[in-house]
Amino acid sequence: MPPVINKEECIGCGVCAEICPCDVLHMTGEDVPQITYPEECWHCNACVLDCAVQAIKLRVPLPAMMLYLEARE
Amino acid sequence: MIGINNIPVECDVLVVGGGIGGLMAAISAADQGAKVVIAEKSNTKRSGSGSTGNDHFQCYIPEVHGEDMEPILREMNECLTGGYLDQDLTALFLKESFDRVKDWNKWGIDMRPHGTWEFNGHAMPGRPRIFLKYAGANQKSVLTNEALKRGVTIFNKLPIAEVITNTSGEVIGAIGVSIESEKPELKIFRANNVILTTGTTNRLYSPKTGGMMFNLGFCPSCAGNGRAAAYRAGAKLINLDIPNTHAGPKFFNRCGKATWIGVLKDYEGKPIGPFVTKPSKELGDITADIWHGVFGIKNKAGEPVYMDCSETSEEDIQYMLWGLTQEGDTSLLNYMDDEGIDVRKHMVEFSTYEPFLIGRGIEINDKAATNVPGLFAAGDEVGNFRADIAGAATFGWIAGKSAAERAQDIKTFEPAEKSSIVEEKKQFYSELLSREAGTANPSWKEVNIALQQIMTDYAGVEVRSEHLFKAGLKYLKDLKGKAISTMYCQNSHELMRCLEVLDLIQLGELIMLTAQDRKETRGKHNRVDYPFTNPLNNNRFITVQEVEGTAEIKWRDRH
C-alpha cells in the first residue's frame, strides 16, 4: 500500500509526516518515517512532491488500478 | 483521563480548517487587523481538497466576458456547480471573484499562465466559458505564506471537534483535539468569532473500491466536522437532501474530469453525448457535467464508458497533461507513465464516484454568517452556494472580513473552557480511549463501514423511498448507540477518526430526515414512491436546525 519509502535515500527530515493530509505517516523515533496508516492514503502525492530527496513513490493498490483499452480507429 | 492544555488560546477570529476557504478567511481577517488563529487537522501547506493543486477557477472577468454579468450568472446556474445557489450570493461571488483572481496572481499563483485570461473546460458549445485556467499546483504553500506574513497563527494537527456557545447561543470558543503526538490533548479556544471551513463531507457512502474508503477524489480527511459542529451549535444546514456525485477515472478516484480533453465514448468508440466529436482545449466533453447519470445508465445498459483522447491534437494533449499537473493529479500521471498508459492511444474507463456533500451544508448570508451569532462558514461546506475552489476563495475572503468587523465590537472573552460541554467531551473522549482495543469492541473503521452500508442502501442515489428512510433512520440510531457505547480508540489519530465517524452518522441522519421531506424526484434524489418532479418545488430549499433537541425541518424559496 502507498507510500513506499526508499530507506537508503530517506534523510529522515519528517516533512512527509508533517504534511500528509490524512496523517498516514509518523516519525516515531526511527530514522525513517513509519507508514502507520497505509489504508488511509488517498493517493494525493503530497509526500512524493514534498520529499526533498525523491525517496518516496506511491504504489497504487490493485483495486484502484486504471482500466483502459486501445482507442478505436 | 485525556489531557487538557490549561492555557486557553484567545483570538479575535478562529478559523477551523486551513484549506483554500480557511486560508483566505484568515488572510482577509488579518488584513482587517484581527488576531487570527487557524486550527488545521493536518497541515495548511497540503491539507484539504486543494492539497496538490487545481487548474480551473470560476469567475467573472468583465474585460473578457463583457460588462453584462447576466449571461455569466445564467452559466453559473447551469454548470456542474449550479442548481442550488442563492442568487444574491451568486451575484456577490461574481462581482468579487476577479479581485480574488488578481490577489492570487499577485501573491504568486499564476492565474494567467499562458499570458491571457484563458477560460476553458466545463463549457458547452456556443456558450460563455466561466472556468479560468490557472496554474494552482503551488496554491496551498503560497496561501500559507501569505497568512503567516500577516501574523496569522497556524496550529497544524489540531482538528476542532466542537463550537462552544454561551447561554444566549452566541459563539464564545471551540474545543480542539491535538493529534500532534500519540497522546491526544484538548486545546480550548476563546473566540467570539469562528469561521468554519472544513470542506466537503466524504466517507458517508460505500466506496467504489471495496474496503478502500480513502480512495477518493476529494480529501477523505474532510469528514463533515464543520457541518456537524455547526448543527450542534444551532446553525441551519441546507440542501442536504439532494445527493451529489463526482466522476472520473474508474476506481482510481481523482478530481479533474474537465481537465481531460477527450470525448466520452462507448466500447465501440461511438461518442455517447451530443456536444463534441473532435475535442479541443476550449471544449472537452461536457456530457458528464450535464448528464449526471450517464455512467450508471450506460453501465446498466451493458456499456462501459471511456474517455478517449486519441483524436486530440498533440498541442492539446500537452495542454491537458499540464492541466492535470496543476490540478494536482500527479499521482495519476506518474501511475500512467509507470504502467505505459498513453492517452494518445488508450481510452480510459470513467465512472461515477460515491455520493458526498459539496455545496450542501451550512446556510450562510451575504456576510458568510450563519444564524448563530459569531459563527461563519465558507467554502465547500456551505449549502446555499457552491463554486468549489473559487467559492472557497471568494466567500472565505468575505467571511474573514465579516468576522474581523464583528470582532471590533466585542473585545472581551468569555471563559469558554468553563463551559459544561468541555467537561462533558473530556469525559466522553476519555471513555473512548479507555475502552479495550482489539476484538472486544468496534474500531472507528468498523463503525464507518457500517454507516456507509446503511447510507448506500437507505439513502443512496439509485432508490429512495419513505420506507427506506424510516428504516434507515432506525438503523442509524442503532448504530449510533453502539458506536457511542462501545467504539474504542488507542491514540490521538484514532480518536480523531472516532469523532469524525460520529459526525458522519449525525450528518447521515440529517440527510435522511431532510430527504424524507422532499416528496418528489429531483436530480439524484430518486424517490421511487414519488417519481415525478414537482414544479412547485423548483428553487425551494430544505433547511434543518436543532431546536430544543429535535431536528426542525423547514422549506424556503431560493433568494
Side-chain angles (χ1 to χ4, degrees):
Chain A
M1 295 289 247
V4 182
I5 298 178
N6 181 334
K7 292 190 171 107
E8 308 297 311
E9 302 284 329
C10 175
I11 52 170
C13 69
V15 163
C16 54
E18 237 173 72
I19 55 85
C20 174
C22 296
D23 200 36
V24 165
L25 307 108
H26 292 89
M27 294 301 285
T28 49
E30 312 272 334
D31 294 339
V32 294
Q34 297 300 300
I35 300 155
T36 326
Y37 303 103
E39 291 169 16
E40 295 171 34
C41 175
W42 72 301
H43 319 135
C44 72
N45 231 29
C47 57
V48 175
L49 294 167
D50 289 355
C51 178
V53 292
Q54 289 87 47
I56 311 182
K57 276 201 77 149
L58 292 189
R59 186 184 74 76
V60 174
L62 289 180
M65 144 181 127
M66 279 178 87
L67 311 174
Y68 64 99
L69 297 175
E70 295 288 328
R72 307 308 188 205
E73 287 302 316
Chain B
M1 187 65 72
I2 190 170
I4 182 159
N5 188 314
N6 284 322
I7 309 158
V9 178
E10 285 186 355
C11 56
D12 294 326
V13 178
L14 171 66
V15 179
V16 179
I20 302 296
L23 286 167
M24 287 299 279
I27 292 168
S28 147
D31 272 354
Q32 302 289 316
K35 185 183 172 199
V36 185
V37 171
I38 297 176
E40 157 61 48
K41 184 184 274 186
S42 4
N43 186 305
T44 63
K45 286 182 206 157
R46 286 294 187 196
S47 58
S49 297
S51 162
T52 52
N54 198 309
D55 75 333
H56 51 301
F57 189 109
Q58 269 160 290
C59 58
Y60 165 59
I61 299 186
E63 65 191 71
V64 175
H65 293 120
E67 289 305 317
D68 183 7
M69 203 172 77
E70 279 305 310
I72 307 305
L73 191 65
R74 190 183 72 172
E75 217 53 39
M76 281 284 295
N77 284 315
E78 292 187 6
C79 77
L80 85 164
T81 58
Y84 301 91
L85 315 175
D86 271 324
Q87 299 299 287
D88 48 349
L89 300 187
T90 311
L92 177 63
F93 161 78
L94 286 176
K95 278 181 202 142
E96 298 205 359
S97 56
F98 188 31
D99 288 336
R100 302 294 76 80
V101 168
K102 286 186 279 193
D103 285 341
W104 281 25
N105 202 47
K106 189 170 68 195
W107 299 337
I109 302 165
D110 197 348
M111 304 303 283
R112 212 164 28 178
H114 301 110
T116 55
W117 304 120
E118 182 181 52
F119 286 81
N120 287 326
H122 284 306
M124 276 184 274
R127 297 284 286 269
R129 299 197 294 265
I130 61 171
F131 286 84
L132 178 72
K133 256 333 227 201
Y134 77 105
N138 65 350
Q139 61 193 12
K140 291 299 311 278
S141 60
V142 168
L143 296 178
T144 298
N145 286 339
E146 290 299 319
L148 291 172
K149 262 194 233 168
R150 288 162 174 79
V152 171
T153 303
I154 300 176
F155 290 108
N156 288 315
K157 308 242 179 223
L158 185 66
I160 295 293
E162 301 291 340
V163 172
I164 306 173
T165 51
N166 63 14
T167 47
S168 311
E170 299 155 339
V171 169
I172 56 165
I175 304 176
V177 182
S178 173
I179 60 158
E180 202 166 6
S181 60
E182 209 178 330
K183 224 172 135 190
E185 185 185 62
L186 295 189
K187 206 176 187 71
I188 310 300
F189 291 86
R190 289 179 178 181
N192 300 317
N193 299 282
V194 172
I195 303 175
L196 299 170
T197 48
T198 69
T200 51
T201 300
N202 303 291
R203 288 170 31 218
L204 273 166
Y205 289 84
S206 298
K208 292 284 173 178
T209 41
M212 291 177 56
M213 67 171 94
F214 283 69
N215 178 35
L216 302 174
F218 291 79
C219 180
S221 287
C222 297
N225 309 116
R227 288 172 181 81
Y231 178 75
R232 290 192 290 268
K236 268 188 193 172
L237 305 186
I238 188 163
N239 285 325
L240 298 179
D241 48 304
I242 305 285
N244 199 295
T245 54
H246 205 70
K250 187 167 183 175
F251 297 145
F252 193 155
N253 291 14
R254 292 292 98 189
C255 288
K257 165 167 61 85
T259 304
W260 291 75
I261 303 169
V263 179
L264 288 173
K265 293 184 173 174
D266 67 10
Y267 183 84
E268 299 288 351
K270 202 173 111 213
I272 56 165
F275 300 109
V276 282
T277 47
K278 172 83 180 146
S280 69
K281 66 180 180 187
E282 291 80 15
L283 292 174
D285 196 342
I286 198 178
T287 302
D289 280 12
I290 307 300
W291 182 13
H292 296 288
V294 58
F295 301 105
I297 290 167
K298 285 285 171 187
N299 288 172
K300 277 194 200 107
E303 276 297 341
V305 177
Y306 296 87
M307 173 59 78
D308 182 356
C309 307
S310 64
E311 289 172 82
T312 306
S313 70
E314 182 56 28
E315 193 190 340
D316 285 355
I317 289 282
Q318 291 301 330
Y319 187 85
M320 165 179 143
L321 297 175
W322 164 82
L324 286 169
T325 303
Q326 298 305 327
E327 172 76 355
D329 283 333
T330 52
S331 60
L332 188 91
L333 293 172
N334 292 353
Y335 176 87
M336 291 199 293
D337 276 350
D338 290 348
E339 296 292 318
I341 303 171
D342 182 354
V343 291
R344 297 167 188 86
K345 58 179 189 186
H346 295 125
M347 51 186 201
V348 174
E349 189 168 349
F350 268 38
S351 79
T352 312
Y353 300 152
E354 52 283 300
F356 71 121
L357 299 180
I358 186 168
R360 284 98 171 97
I362 302 170
E363 185 181 57
I364 59 166
N365 65 15
D366 59 359
K367 304 272 184 213
T370 71
N371 56 297
V372 174
L375 191 63
F376 301 80
D380 288 343
E381 76 180 341
V382 167
N384 50 336
F385 179 71
R386 176 184 171 194
D388 297 4
I389 208 136
T394 307
F395 272 97
W397 187 265
I398 293 168
K401 192 163 172 276
S402 308
E405 276 167 10
R406 189 173 179 274
Q408 286 176 357
D409 302 331
I410 314 168
K411 280 291 175 199
T412 55
F413 295 101
E414 292 187 39
E417 69 281 4
K418 295 205 173 82
S419 300
S420 59
I421 190 174
V422 174
E423 188 53 34
E424 190 190 306
K425 293 298 161 187
K426 197 176 154 190
Q427 293 292 338
F428 178 57
Y429 302 165
S430 300
E431 200 184 318
L432 292 172
L433 285 156
S434 71
R435 287 182 190 145
E436 191 185 335
T439 51
N441 289 309
S443 66
W444 70 267
K445 209 170 282 180
E446 211 178 289
V447 179
N448 206 154
I449 292 168
L451 166 69
Q452 292 178 334
Q453 289 179 174
I454 295 171
M455 290 303 292
T456 302
D457 277 13
Y458 297 88
V461 293
E462 300 284 334
V463 180
R464 291 181 154 200
S465 76
E466 188 77 14
H467 288 172
L468 285 174
F469 289 133
K470 280 188 169 154
L473 281 164
K474 153 64 166 79
Y475 305 155
L476 282 184
K477 194 176 163 207
D478 292 347
L479 178 65
K480 185 159 75 176
K482 285 178 191 300
I484 289 171
S485 60
T486 61
M487 182 167 60
Y488 75 86
C489 55
Q490 304 177 88
N491 55 38
S492 61
H493 177 92
E494 291 181 8
L495 174 59
M496 167 178 74
R497 297 278 182 249
C498 282
L499 301 184
E500 286 171 356
V501 86
L502 290 172
D503 284 346
L504 289 170
I505 294 174
Q506 181 158 39
L507 291 171
E509 288 179 325
L510 297 176
I511 287 170
M512 288 200 198
L513 277 172
T514 49
Q516 196 180 0
D517 217 50
R518 191 176 278 281
K519 297 184 194 316
E520 62 162 349
T521 286
R522 186 169 292 268
K524 286 197 161 182
H525 173 67
N526 193 17
R527 287 289 297 252
V528 292
D529 47 351
Y530 296 98
F532 60 95
T533 299
N534 183 350
L536 296 176
N537 291 336
N538 287 353
N539 302 320
R540 299 222 349 119
F541 298 168
I542 299 179
T543 65
V544 61
Q545 180 184 13
E546 193 174 53
V547 179
E548 289 165 7
T550 55
E552 187 181 86
I553 291 167
K554 284 188 176 164
W555 287 69
R556 75 156 170 88
D557 288 327
R558 181 180 82 172
H559 49 67

